[in-house]
Amino acid sequence: MRADLEEAKDERLAALAAGGDRGAFEALVTRHRQAVYRLCWSATGNAADADDAAQETFVRVYRSLPSYDPERPFGPWLRKIAWNCGLTVRRDGNAGVPKVAEGDAPEAVDPAPGPEEAAAGNEERRRMEDALAALPAELRMVMVLRAVEGLSYAEIAQAAGIPAGTVMSRLSRARTRLLTALGGGS
Amino acid sequence: MMDCRETQALLNAFHDGELPAAERARVEEHLRGCPECGALLADLARVDRAGGVPDPGPAYWDRFNARVMDRVGREADGPGVRVLRPKGGWMREQLRYLVPAAAAAALVLGIVHYGGMTPGVPAPVLTEERAAGVPREERDRLADRTPPARNEEATRERAAAAPTVAAPSPAPMMPYRSAPAGSPPVTAADGMRREMQAERKAMEGAPAMKREPQAAGMEKSASGMRMAKEPAEGAAPPPASLASAAAASASPCDLARTLAERERIRDAETAQRACLAGDLDAPSREKGLVFLAELLDRQARFSEADAVIAEVEKQYPPSRPLELYLQQRPMVQKEPEAVPVSR
């Protein structure tokens, strides 16, 4: 990545990308791809759909850049698109969003456990993944945005289009269910 | 001092650092004397630590950017979907052309179809518009041709044949294509050539095709294709990418989705109305009406959308699709172009 892009703020990169700078756009992709993927996974609950939705998110971001206002923060704007793409893929089942610009094979997501999977404590992680996948998307979303992305209630509320109080109650329900699934709880 | 019930009600917010200082202090005070609530707090931390979203692994991330950039590149290079845009307000600028262009497209197709334009004269429309007019046997043939190698072959055959046939046509809809100011004018033939190049590139780069043959959709097409006008006999065969798009749009319902994806909202609305006029089961009609409401919102025809929404509320209470859409609606109404089309 170009050094000047590495340091630049999202909003600056978005403005450059809107002007046709592909390097700036790719810098945004690199910076946000994991968070976008996780949010899409929250919406869909499985890797294949999350992949579809994450790819589609960035294509739509690219298309929508000309209407993006760099005065507004980039993160919430991106999250809204990602969440919508995730819901779209989920609602549609595997028929999927990418109908227009196809040509991409669905990316194989490596099902084999990585070396770190062997480590102790990963059994809990795996159970947690299953439990999270089994949650309703709305609970999963708040959980991922809070516990993984570290967003505030206000930021989650904005991304989900719900009041902050609802964020708290959903988080509470999500954690209770996950704890039960983890086979613990006091 | 707070009791356990009060404390536990605030425990999530406490754990997340979202409590105001005064309440925070009260919770802390309770926790100092209550191991039970302390254990609950530890559980919250344990759940969060367990993480949750499975990471797809380094090999996945190695390919991720290239796949995005490939799709973005195809969008920007090939005129099939869109060309490079000038900065700022592009979409609003486009809409000024898009709506009249769509109307013109409908008119031209109408003349070709109903007005008896001489057979053998290619329809003076753009490739996208032509996609809707693939002869049925051609669509059927293409629907069977999903393996990439055969598709590529088909693309080459068309690459050789198409430009000569399409070249004489004027391109009345260029404003929709809208090259940025200052670029050289693009003819329909140029457009097709570039599109086919992009398509071939895409085929070569794609290890496998994701697309389904859509066989079931093709069955329905006999009754459902009234939306897509038949072209004049002898019109140029369309490039494979667009033919397959048409194959995917075998019913007006699918066509509406495809058009909406391409942000041809007005055309999508027409197709969606045709879809709703057909014989639909209740869930499809319910979703179809919600989609129609969205298409109206995207054209800022809010009161018409309201009427459709009222109808859904009346006929299908409680409607989950409507509920989902109403969550997004403020965003759609605020910036119709920035929000992805829901499906």
Side-chain angles (χ1 to χ4, degrees), chain B residues 122-212:
Chain B
V125 293
L126 290 169
T127 48
E128 269 185 22
E129 275 71 25
R130 198 171 307 168
V134 186
R136 190 168 302 124
E137 58 275 19
E138 176 75 356
R139 285 198 309 270
D140 289 343
R141 202 164 61 81
L142 282 162
D144 289 329
R145 275 179 168 259
T146 38
R150 296 175 64 197
N151 246 341
E152 195 183 338
E153 180 193 316
T155 311
R156 282 216 192 87
E157 283 166 21
R158 288 194 184 78
T164 50
V165 189
S169 313
M173 249 80 68
M174 286 328 288
Y176 168 48
R177 287 272 179 217
S178 96
S183 12
V186 184
T187 67
D190 286 339
M192 288 183 70
R193 263 196 297 275
R194 284 169 57 192
E195 183 143 27
M196 282 181 289
Q197 280 161 6
E199 173 76 3
R200 216 173 319 160
K201 235 167 61 186
M203 292 290 185
E204 282 157 11
M209 295 300 288
K210 185 175 182 186
R211 205 179 302 139
E212 297 291 323

Side-chain angles (χ1 to χ4, degrees), chain A residues 33-110:
Chain A
R33 62 190 183 185
Q34 290 188 317
V36 163
Y37 176 88
R38 285 190 292 259
L39 186 51
C40 291
W41 189 89
S42 311
T44 61
N46 72 79
D49 287 346
D51 171 52
D52 272 355
Q55 289 279 319
E56 185 67 15
T57 296
F58 284 110
V59 172
R60 291 191 183 184
V61 163
Y62 183 79
R63 283 183 203 162
S64 307
L65 276 173
S67 66
Y68 167 71
D69 173 6
E71 296 296 308
R72 285 168 20 201
F74 182 76
W77 184 74
L78 174 66
R79 279 192 287 273
K80 268 193 177 158
I81 294 180
W83 179 244
N84 278 331
C85 281
L87 288 184
T88 302
V89 168
R90 180 185 67 157
R91 250 178 283 164
D92 219 32
N94 288 328
V97 175
K99 214 168 206 172
V100 178
E102 57 290 80
D104 288 313
E107 192 70 1
V109 176
D110 187 4

Side-chain angles (χ1 to χ4, degrees), chain B residues 16 32 38 81 97 105 111 116 129 141 164 177 227 256 283 311:
Chain B
D16 291 323
R32 275 196 289 275
V81 179
Y97 296 109
I111 291 166
E129 275 71 25
R141 202 164 61 81
T164 50
R177 287 272 179 217
M227 274 306 303
E311 194 184 331

Side-chain angles (χ1 to χ4, degrees), chain B residues 241-258:
Chain B
S241 62
L242 294 167
S244 54
S249 308
S251 77
C253 309
D254 292 341
L255 181 64
R257 297 289 179 179
T258 305

